[in-house]
Amino acid sequence: MKKEPCASPAPVASGLAGGRGLRADAERNRERILDAAREVFAEQGLEASTNEVARRSGVGVATLFRRFPTRDDLVGAVFADKMADYSAATEQALANPDPWAGFCGFIERVCQMQAGDRGFADVLTMTFPNAKALEAERDRSAHALTEVIDRAKASGRLRADFVHQDVPLILMANAGVINATRSAAPEAWRRVVGYLLQAFAADAAHPLPAPPSRGQVYRALMRLSDAAPASIAQ
């Protein structure tokens, strides 16, 4: 009897197609979660409930937890683009031929970024050791910011006692103003930042108390981060 040619086993083909479908579904779920988290964090800050993130994304909390087991995982993914924009702001400051204008423009820009996104206002006043990519981007921008500060000082326009640790203090102060005035006076942060920039000018300088050390600032950032829940399974 003549043998018929062997056909490809149907279960294998079906399994491959199913695998591709599962991967596509998982990626769609991931994007829905990130879109919802961006929206919720921008409105409510990082203390927002992940139940609300899950609700708006249309996935279950268990699915969210599988994709992002910890808060750092979710924060790192949600704010990767914003942290890249923060780094870009330091590069723009360095590219400005006027070092003082570059410094002032940087401070105004990042404070505006905080005002536009309550979650990012929180991110800039915390540190997330387990969000490796986010913290690596922050470190890169920190090196560039040191150069921004040094150039502005060398120009004679920025007061000589301004130090890198002052930037987190500015961002913490701005975040507090934004959170307190968001609904009643959403542009109030601009006046506070204007006051600060005038105080940073060399010709307005008067002696100040010593700044906190870098270690003290880092511990403050860690304290703020530790105050929020570490796990997103709420």
Side-chain angles (χ1 to χ4, degrees), residues 82-205:
K82 286 287 180 73
M83 191 58 75
D85 290 343
Y86 178 82
S87 292
T90 61
E91 297 300 329
Q92 291 169 4
L94 288 175
N96 194 316
D98 182 335
W100 172 245
F103 170 82
C104 292
F106 169 79
I107 297 297
E108 291 171 341
R109 172 63 183 140
V110 296
C111 288
Q112 184 179 38
M113 290 171 70
Q114 285 186 300
D117 188 325
R118 187 173 175 183
F120 195 60
D122 291 340
V123 167
L124 289 181
T125 62
M126 299 180 184
T127 188
F128 304 89
N130 296 321
K132 302 299 184 185
L134 187 78
E135 292 303 315
E137 190 69 52
R138 194 200 303 269
D139 289 343
R140 282 192 291 273
S141 65
H143 291 301
L145 180 55
T146 296
E147 189 175 351
V148 171
I149 293 169
D150 290 345
R151 287 177 73 240
K153 283 184 180 180
S155 74
R157 299 292 305 281
L158 177 62
R159 56 187 300 152
D161 58 355
F162 189 94
V163 293
H164 198 289
Q165 300 94 287
D166 288 322
V167 176
L169 298 182
I170 295 167
L171 298 177
M172 289 177 189
N174 189 53
V177 170
I178 288 167
N179 287 335
T181 64
R182 183 179 301 277
S183 59
E187 298 296 307
W189 68 270
R190 295 184 184 277
R191 184 171 178 86
V192 175
V193 171
Y195 271 130
L196 291 174
L197 289 175
Q198 290 184 35
F200 299 152
D203 57 8

Side-chain angles (χ1 to χ4, degrees), residues 40-116:
V40 172
F41 288 154
E43 294 172 3
Q44 303 176 23
L46 297 188
E47 73 275 12
S49 167
T50 50
N51 287 330
E52 177 63 11
V53 174
R55 186 189 69 78
R56 292 199 198 184
S57 67
V59 306
V61 174
T63 298
L64 190 154
F65 183 73
R66 281 196 300 273
R67 300 300 303 174
F68 303 101
T70 70
R71 184 173 60 96
D72 282 13
D73 294 324
L74 183 59
V75 167
V78 167
F79 292 103
D81 290 346
K82 286 287 180 73
M83 191 58 75
D85 290 343
Y86 178 82
S87 292
T90 61
E91 297 300 329
Q92 291 169 4
L94 288 175
N96 194 316
D98 182 335
W100 172 245
F103 170 82
C104 292
F106 169 79
I107 297 297
E108 291 171 341
R109 172 63 183 140
V110 296
C111 288
Q112 184 179 38
M113 290 171 70
Q114 285 186 300

